[in-house]
Amino acid sequence: MRIGLLTESGYPYVGGEARLWCDRLVRGLGRHEFDVYALSRSARQEALGWVDLPPQVRRVHSAALWGEAAGRSVLWGRRRAGRRFAECFAELAAGMTGTSGEVTGVSGGMTGVSGGMAGASGGTTGASGEVRGTFDGVAGASDELADRFRSGLYGLAELARDTGGLAGALRSEDAVRALESACRAPGAHRAARAARVPDLLTVAADLERTLRPLSLDWYDDDTLGAVDLCHATAGGAAALPGLLARHFAGVPLLVTEYGVRLRAHYLAGAGAAAESAPARALLASFHGRLAAETYREATVITPGNAHARRWQERCGADRAKLRTVYPGLEADRFAEVGEREEPGEPHTLLWVGRVEPAKDLISLLHAFAEVRKEEPGARLRIVGALADGEGAAAYLAHCRALAAQLFPDEAEDAHTVGANPVSFEEIGSPEAPDLADAYAGGGVVVLSSVVEGFPISLIEAMLCGRATVSTDVGAVVEVIGGTGLVVPPRNPRALAQACVQLLRDPERRARLGAAARARALELFTVEQNIAAFHGIYLEIVSHCPVRRETVNEAGEPVPFAHPAEASVPGRWAVGGRLAGAAPLGGPVPLGTAATTAPSWATRYGLREHLGEVAS
């Protein structure tokens, strides 16, 4: 089977998101072939290079979603193409803003059907700190508006294919005018009506970056048009090439989201002080529409947990398409620690993760102050690296200052050096040479987040046989499953009480740790992840095969040009291959035919007959 693996800011880049699980998946499915289509997010990411690729990766195509779009718009000076672009972009904008009727103010405006957009712009923050509200135009909007967005999106894709790309056009004056016209048209949402020119320029810039895959040459018979299945490793821009491959060539699409991209966009937008409320509302509507279209066209959707699944259902995903596939971790990495009889440092609390405000280390430090009142000998180790972003370093400095204020250095007597009961460490330091050593030094692992998707650090702790105390956010309860203690977020007192209970009860810690390790080995290993995707691949291809018709020079169909066995790996063929035949284990190139025969055909004298049919 030939898989088109679609990534954004991920595999095969060294510093990419979701790089590890993609690499494990590709290496675990050695009998399939992979073509990787990667979108990068920064020059730094590209400069770091790629990971070592296994032989089943046939080729890698890459494109940048950062910097200025290369080239001048090919639409300039082509009146018909310009009118066509204006019509398609107007439809896309109308679907975003909830516009009813015709979008005017640009040449060639198209008349649509009436519709409306319900809901409120922006979002509200719930108890767990997550954005709960959205432009409800995503899941509950009228079919007419979704159709207008869809018509505009695929119209732009067909225009890009016919003209060679839309470089510059998506940020042109015509595009900004179309956005403005859609925002001012009857029926537009009130947040869209409040947009001013700077807001529209911000929105146009984001649309241009996200829609750059429309202009790529990835959709012909030599690229995504030749694969058996597209597997998008995220939503958003990563899934867009899969949508176009399905539109142009009928290739089935599998979408995997371990962190729902739309949710991440809402959370990022809620904290983006540089963007105005109208710009955030318009971008939320666009990304919501794109997510809804992705879920609509996907053959199967694989969320990484029930929390992500609920987000996908809210955004329009059909429940019948959803299959939960948990991420897989390498259990062998933590086997030595998990199988030890000693429970680690019995009076040490351990936190592991990326240092950022969403992890709420402030509440953890205040909780530890309460713990110290009950257990004066307790220690807290904070092991982690800075998250990306300008505010991470300042947040870490604030946490260090708070720890120094709450816990002055202590000494046993007048002749010993004082030490702080809270330590800040990094993986690779003498105290924590690697991740397994860090978990080995903790008696209880703590997670204090107010926002969390799928808590990988909890699974690592479970594989190490450690008892855990966690806040009830994201997929925490689904992961823990009764093998640890769960408390409300932003509640230092409850967090402290749970920690004290486990610090004082070593037998309970041991029971919970053993149960946690057994659960993690059953649900969250690389092996189960690979087996699940292997089964889904086979199911999709068997139920939704790509119908390709090859014709000869006279335009007549070539029978048996794409036999099923052409994609079967292994040296099953007998004898040599004629010129133009596909490599063993690879697909037959378009316009050629299989010219080798299996052993049974040779035994029964059918080889010559097959050669005649193929020719």
Side-chain angles (χ1 to χ4, degrees):
M1 188 186 307
R2 187 174 174 185
I3 311 298
L5 191 65
L6 315 177
T7 69
E8 178 193 357
S9 187
Y11 188 78
Y13 294 105
V14 170
E17 301 172 4
R19 170 183 58 83
L20 288 177
W21 83 261
C22 288
D23 189 57
R24 292 164 182 164
L25 176 68
V26 171
R27 293 181 184 277
L29 297 177
R31 300 189 65 184
H32 299 306
E33 295 177 341
F34 287 85
D35 292 349
V36 179
Y37 294 80
L39 301 172
S40 66
R41 275 291 180 181
S42 67
R44 180 178 179 273
Q45 185 177 62
E46 292 194 357
L48 290 175
W50 298 345
V51 299
D52 292 333
L53 299 176
Q56 52 265 40
V57 176
R58 299 173 68 253
R59 54 187 174 181
V60 177
H61 301 260
S62 62
L65 295 183
W66 53 274
E68 296 294 330
R72 177 181 175 86
S73 175
V74 297
L75 305 183
W76 295 117
R78 302 174 64 175
R79 184 172 300 178
R80 180 176 298 178
R83 285 199 302 267
R84 187 175 165 193
F85 170 80
E87 293 171 356
C88 295
F89 195 85
E91 287 294 276
L92 184 83
M96 290 168 50
T97 60
T99 300
S100 61
E102 183 179 0
V103 176
T104 60
V106 293
S107 60
M110 295 180 66
T111 302
V113 292
S114 62
M117 179 173 289
S121 62
T124 59
T125 303
S128 65
E130 297 189 27
V131 177
R132 302 294 186 186
T134 67
F135 246 32
D136 278 345
V138 175
S142 64
D143 292 338
E144 291 86 352
L145 288 175
D147 288 341
R148 297 190 74 175
F149 180 88
R150 187 180 308 119
S151 172
L153 179 66
Y154 295 124
L156 290 173
E158 292 168 359
L159 176 62
R161 184 182 61 172
D162 295 343
T163 60
L166 301 176
L170 291 170
R171 295 184 66 175
S172 64
E173 185 177 349
D174 286 344
V176 176
R177 286 179 177 175
L179 281 173
E180 183 178 23
S181 180
C183 291
R184 306 291 184 265
H189 191 268
R190 62 178 180 274
R193 292 198 299 270
R196 298 294 179 259
V197 172
D199 305 324
L200 299 176
L201 292 174
T202 299
V203 172
D206 188 280
L207 295 187
E208 187 274 326
R209 285 190 296 270
T210 304
L211 296 178
R212 283 187 190 181
L214 298 181
S215 300
L216 299 176
D217 56 349
W218 288 359
Y219 314 109
D220 55 27
D221 293 339
D222 294 326
T223 49
L224 285 176
V227 303
D228 299 303
L229 165 68
C230 284
H231 184 177
T233 59
L240 190 51
L243 285 177
L244 301 187
R246 181 166 180 80
H247 177 73
F248 290 129
V251 178
L253 174 62
L254 167 64
V255 177
T256 296
E257 289 188 302
Y258 285 134
V260 178
R261 186 54 58 91
L262 183 60
R263 171 181 175 270
H265 174 80
Y266 289 148
L267 292 174
E275 294 180 359
S276 66
R280 290 198 301 270
L282 286 170
L283 291 176
S285 177
F286 168 74
H287 288 284
R289 291 284 186 207
L290 182 58
E293 177 62 16
T294 300
Y295 297 151
R296 175 183 177 272
E297 291 296 325
T299 306
V300 174
I301 306 166
T302 53
N305 52 75
H307 179 65
R309 183 181 183 123
R310 289 193 294 271
W311 267 87
Q312 291 169 336
E313 289 182 5
R314 178 184 176 88
C315 296
D318 183 357
R319 185 172 299 181
K321 296 181 178 181
L322 298 173
R323 315 279 180 82
T324 301
V325 179
Y326 292 120
L329 274 68
E330 293 179 338
D332 293 343
R333 184 181 183 186
F334 306 100
E336 182 183 355
V337 176
E339 294 171 359
R340 293 178 186 174
E341 294 185 2
E342 60 269 19
E345 296 294 334
H347 299 290
T348 299
L349 300 178
L350 175 69
W351 180 94
V352 178
R354 293 162 62 88
V355 178
E356 57 183 337
K359 304 304 181 182
D360 199 13
L361 294 181
I362 303 299
S363 291
L364 176 60
L365 291 170
H366 284 291
F368 185 61
E370 298 293 324
V371 171
R372 292 275 291 180
K373 295 177 182 178
E374 302 291 334
E375 295 290 328
R379 295 184 62 241
L380 172 62
R381 296 177 60 193
I382 296 177
V383 181
L386 286 177
D388 297 331
E390 300 177 357
Y395 183 73
L396 176 59
H398 177 58
C399 293
R400 289 180 180 273
L402 179 61
Q405 179 183 353
L406 292 176
F407 312 102
D409 290 350
E410 302 172 351
E412 295 182 359
D413 52 52
H415 304 287
T416 58
V417 178
N420 196 300
V422 178
S423 62
F424 292 84
E425 307 166 16
E426 293 184 6
I427 298 298
S429 64
E431 298 83 3
D434 60 33
L435 200 55
D437 290 328
Y439 286 110
V444 176
V445 176
V446 185
L447 184 142
S448 55
S449 302
V450 294
V451 176
E452 192 72 52
F454 194 79
I456 295 296
S457 62
L458 279 188
I459 299 177
E460 294 169 344
M462 294 166 69
L463 288 170
C464 291
R466 294 297 181 261
T468 60
V469 176
S470 313
T471 49
D472 186 6
V473 293
V476 165
V477 172
E478 182 181 4
V479 168
I480 294 298
T483 65
L485 304 186
V486 180
V487 300
R490 290 199 180 98
N491 192 332
R493 181 170 298 178
L495 188 64
Q497 290 175 351
C499 291
V500 169
Q501 289 180 22
L502 292 185
L503 289 175
R504 289 178 173 177
D505 194 342
E507 293 184 357
R508 188 182 185 191
R509 288 203 310 269
R511 289 196 304 270
L512 289 175
R517 176 167 168 78
R519 177 176 176 81
L521 289 174
E522 179 183 0
L523 297 177
F524 307 122
T525 62
V526 173
E527 291 75 17
Q528 67 83 21
N529 180 270
I530 292 174
F533 278 118
H534 183 248
I536 291 173
Y537 283 178
L538 295 178
E539 179 184 352
I540 291 176
V541 172
S542 63
H543 287 84
C544 307
V546 182
R547 306 296 182 185
R548 297 186 177 96
E549 184 178 84
T550 301
V551 296
N552 57 22
E553 296 179 356
E556 300 174 348
V558 178
F560 306 112
H562 296 280
E565 60 270 19
S567 297
V568 176
R571 297 185 174 275
W572 55 268
V574 176
R577 291 181 289 114
L578 299 182
L584 292 177
V588 177
L590 294 180
T592 64
T595 54
T596 58
S599 57
W600 54 263
T602 303
R603 279 199 305 270
Y604 294 103
L606 298 178
R607 183 172 182 177
E608 292 77 7
H609 176 66
L610 287 177
E612 292 174 2
V613 172
S615 62

